[in-house]
Amino acid sequence: MLISFCVSLQWNETIELFRSNMPLRKHRSHFKSYERCFTASEAVDWLHVLLRHSQNFGPEVTRKQTVQLLKKFLKNHVIEDIKGRWGQEDFEDNRHLYRFPPSSPLKPYPKRSPHQASVIRFPDWTHEPPGTSQENIPVRPIVMNSESWYKRHSIAIGEVPACRLVYRRQLTEANVEEIWKSMTLSHLQKILDLDSLEEVLDTKLVNSKFIIHNVYSVSKQGVVILTDKSKELPHWVLSAMKCLANWPNCSDLKHPMYSGFEKDVFKTIADYYGHLKEPLLTFQLFDAFVSVLGLLQKEKIAIEAFQICCLLLPPENRRKLQLLIRMMVKICLNKEMPPLCDGLGTRTLMVQTFSRCILCSKDEVDLDELLAARLVTFLMDNHQEILQAPSSLQNSIEERVAHLRRVQFQKSYPEVYQERFPTPESEALIFPEKSKPKPQLLMWALKKPFQPFQRTRSFRM
C-alpha cells in the first residue's frame, strides 16, 4: 500500500534526524554517571522544535503530541532507558534518563504490488443489446393476397425501400453515474501520479451517487443539502455551533447565562464529534487523504487532490465537515471570543480537539495523530477552495455526457441530426456559394485626373 510506504518514509526520516542531531551528554543519576544520554524533557524539547519546523507536520504540533510520539519510540526500541528497558509506552515528560540503542530500528519500506488499472467501459452504441436482433422479433403470419404479393415483389426488386426496426439507444442514469465515477477517479489517479488507485483505496466501494450529490445538491454557500433529514446534525449541536461561530451575536441566545458559558458550549460540540463511530473522512479514505499530504509543497495540486477526495465522501459526512471547519475558522478569527482553554491558543485548541474526529485510521498507524493535525491545519487554511467542487473536473464531465448524448441522437436519428446540426459540406449543397459581383467601373475614373493649377510667369513687369 502506498500509505504504508509514505508513513514508513516519514517515520524513518524522523528517526534518522532524531538520532543524528539530538544532543547527548553526561548525566548523573543516583550517584552514578552515564555517558551519551539525555533526559526525557530534553528529548521532548528538541523533538518538539523539529516537528514544528518540519514540512510534514507543521507548527501546530503540541508538546503533548510530541510526548505521544516519544512513547511510540520507546515501544518500538527507537530509544531505551539507561538500564536498557523498552517495549512499553511509559514515557513521561520528566528527568528520567534515556539513550539510543546501538542499532537503528528503521522500518522496512513495504514493496508495492503491481496493479492493473481497471477501466470502466462506456456504453457502446454500435452493438444492439441481447434480445433485440431482427431474428428475435415475433412476426404475425399474413394471409397472402394479390396486394400483399405485389408489395413483397416490389420490395424484392427494389422499387419500395424495406422497413427496418431501429433500436433507440439511451444514455441511462446508470451510464451517467459510471461516467462521473470513472472520470473522477481517473483525474485523482493522474494528480497523485499513481499506476493504480488500488494502492490507496478500493475503487469498488466508491459510490458514484455521492459524487453527483456533492456537486449539485448544495446551497448558495456551497454546503451540501441532505435529502434524508434523519442524517442531519442534531438541532442542539447545530445551534451550539452557530452560537460559537457568530459569537457574541448569537441568534438563539441574546446573552450568555453565566460566566464561562462559551466554554461549556464548546465542550458540548467537542463531545458530540468525539463520540462519532467513524471519522468524517471515513476509514475507507484514510489512505487516500494521507497520500495527498505528500503533495503539500505543491499547494495548488494538493488543493485539487483534496477537492476530489472530499467529493468521494458520503453527503452527510461532507456536510458535517463543512460546518465544522467553518466554525473552527470563524472561532479562530473572532477577536471577541474569550479564551476557550487556559494556556492553549485557540487555533491549537481547534486542531487538537477535532483532528481525530476528522481523520484517523481504523488500525493503529505510526504518526497518525501528527498527520491528522497537519491535514486539519491545511483544511482550515484552504477550506473555501477544498470544500467546493472542482469546476474544471465538473465542466469536463458535463461536456463528456453532452457529447455522448449527441452521439446517441445522431445514431438514432441521423436525418434529424443532419437538419439540426448541418456539416459544412451539407450547408454547401443547400446554400451554394454565390459568385461575387464585380465592382462597377466608375465613369469618372476614365477621365483625365484633375491637374492642380500651375502658376505661370507673371505678366507684371
Side-chain angles (χ1 to χ4, degrees):
M1 295 290 288
L2 177 65
I3 180 61
S4 300
F5 180 86
C6 294
V7 173
S8 297
L9 179 62
Q10 295 175 359
W11 172 271
N12 290 346
E13 287 179 352
T14 305
I15 291 177
E16 289 175 349
L17 290 173
F18 184 46
R19 286 180 59 94
S20 58
N21 297 295
M22 175 65 199
L24 305 177
R25 61 187 181 88
K26 181 191 295 186
H27 288 81
R28 292 183 61 86
S29 177
H30 301 291
F31 307 103
K32 188 176 180 179
S33 298
Y34 297 92
E35 299 286 344
R36 297 182 59 80
C37 59
F38 50 86
T39 66
S41 297
E42 291 173 348
V44 175
D45 292 337
W46 191 91
L47 187 59
H48 189 209
V49 174
L50 173 67
L51 296 177
R52 285 173 56 86
H53 289 83
S54 172
Q55 295 180 346
N56 294 326
F57 306 109
E60 302 300 329
V61 177
T62 63
R63 189 175 183 87
K64 181 179 178 181
Q65 291 173 330
T66 307
V67 173
Q68 294 296 325
L69 179 58
L70 284 166
K71 287 184 177 182
K72 293 185 178 181
F73 280 179
L74 181 61
K75 182 179 179 180
N76 290 275
H77 205 192
V78 178
I79 59 176
E80 62 183 16
D81 67 6
I82 53 175
K83 296 183 179 180
R85 293 174 298 191
W86 60 278
Q88 296 181 353
E89 295 188 3
D90 55 354
F91 184 93
E92 296 182 2
D93 191 354
N94 53 25
R95 300 292 300 174
H96 196 78
L97 295 180
Y98 292 90
R99 66 189 180 190
F100 291 118
S103 59
S104 177
L106 298 180
K107 292 193 173 183
Y109 298 120
K111 296 181 179 180
R112 296 187 183 183
S113 56
H115 294 281
Q116 294 183 354
S118 56
V119 180
I120 300 177
R121 296 183 179 181
F122 294 106
D124 189 358
W125 312 110
T126 59
H127 296 87
E128 297 178 353
T132 59
S133 61
Q134 298 288 334
E135 291 76 9
N136 297 331
I137 301 176
V139 180
R140 183 193 302 176
I142 302 177
V143 179
M144 186 68 66
N145 52 29
S146 59
E147 184 178 359
S148 61
W149 182 91
Y150 177 77
K151 288 183 178 179
R152 289 198 174 189
H153 178 71
S154 301
I155 294 174
I157 63 178
E159 295 180 3
V160 180
C163 297
R164 181 177 179 83
L165 179 65
V166 177
Y167 182 80
R168 180 180 177 183
R169 309 302 297 270
Q170 296 181 351
L171 192 64
T172 64
E173 182 179 355
N175 298 144
V176 175
E177 292 176 357
E178 287 299 318
I179 294 171
W180 271 93
K181 176 179 177 179
S182 175
M183 295 188 66
T184 301
L185 295 180
S186 177
H187 194 57
L188 178 61
Q189 178 178 340
K190 181 179 179 181
I191 294 176
L192 297 179
D193 193 20
L194 298 176
D195 296 332
S196 173
L197 284 179
E198 297 296 333
E199 301 178 18
V200 295
L201 63 90
D202 188 354
T203 57
K204 296 179 182 178
L205 299 179
V206 175
N207 193 326
S208 57
K209 295 182 182 295
F210 292 169
I211 303 175
I212 298 175
H213 187 102
N214 291 332
V215 171
Y216 292 110
S217 299
V218 295
S219 65
K220 294 181 180 180
Q221 292 75 26
V223 179
V224 174
I225 300 175
L226 299 181
T227 305
D228 187 358
K229 299 302 180 182
S230 63
K231 298 181 180 180
E232 183 63 89
L233 277 170
H235 177 71
W236 56 272
V237 176
L238 190 59
S239 298
M241 295 176 67
K242 289 182 179 179
C243 181
L244 288 188
N246 301 315
W247 186 273
N249 302 319
C250 184
S251 59
D252 296 340
L253 298 173
K254 294 183 179 180
H255 300 286
M257 298 177 60
Y258 51 86
S259 178
F261 174 77
E262 68 282 350
K263 294 182 180 180
D264 290 343
V265 175
F266 178 76
K267 186 177 183 299
T268 301
I269 301 171
D271 288 342
Y272 171 79
Y273 277 95
H275 286 84
L276 294 177
K277 296 181 180 179
E278 187 178 21
L280 296 179
L281 300 184
T282 70
F283 292 133
Q284 173 193 342
L285 297 176
F286 175 81
D287 294 354
F289 278 101
V290 174
S291 64
V292 181
L293 289 175
L295 304 174
L296 293 187
Q297 297 179 1
K298 304 175 182 178
E299 184 174 327
K300 292 184 178 180
I301 298 178
I303 290 176
E304 189 175 3
F306 277 130
Q307 282 181 328
I308 299 176
C309 289
C310 289
L311 284 182
L312 308 181
L313 294 172
E316 58 271 18
N317 287 43
R318 182 179 172 90
R319 176 175 172 81
K320 292 177 182 178
L321 177 66
Q322 288 174 320
L323 296 177
L324 177 61
I325 294 294
R326 289 179 179 226
M327 182 203 72
M328 294 166 62
V329 173
K330 286 186 176 181
I331 292 176
C332 293
L333 297 177
N334 190 353
K335 297 181 179 179
E336 298 184 19
M337 175 65 69
L340 297 175
C341 181
D342 298 334
L344 197 62
T346 303
R347 181 181 173 90
T348 304
L349 176 65
M350 295 295 119
V351 175
Q352 186 174 344
T353 302
F354 296 109
S355 59
R356 285 194 62 81
C357 73
I358 293 177
L359 178 72
C360 71
S361 175
K362 191 173 184 179
D363 303 320
E364 183 180 359
V365 176
D366 298 323
L367 307 177
D368 54 350
E369 294 183 1
L370 298 176
L371 295 174
R374 185 70 180 104
L375 183 141
V376 172
T377 303
F378 192 80
L379 275 178
M380 293 178 62
D381 293 337
N382 304 276
H383 71 284
Q384 293 183 346
E385 296 178 273
I386 293 177
L387 297 179
Q388 67 178 4
S391 57
S392 59
L393 176 63
Q394 180 179 349
N395 293 336
S396 62
I397 296 177
E398 290 175 349
E399 290 176 359
R400 173 66 177 174
V401 173
H403 170 73
L404 290 178
R405 283 176 174 160
R406 286 196 300 268
V407 171
Q408 165 215 344
F409 184 81
Q410 181 182 9
K411 290 184 176 292
S412 300
Y413 308 101
E415 297 179 356
V416 178
Y417 182 86
Q418 187 174 4
E419 292 179 1
R420 292 187 180 181
F421 308 99
T423 60
E425 292 77 9
S426 61
E427 285 185 345
L429 295 176
I430 299 175
F431 307 103
E433 184 178 2
K434 297 181 181 180
S435 58
K436 297 182 180 179
K438 295 181 179 180
Q440 296 182 358
L441 189 62
L442 300 178
M443 296 300 296
W444 62 268
L446 299 176
K447 297 181 180 181
K448 187 175 181 180
F450 175 77
Q451 297 292 334
F453 175 77
Q454 296 181 358
R455 185 175 181 181
T456 58
R457 180 182 300 178
S458 175
F459 291 97
R460 297 173 60 184
M461 298 301 295

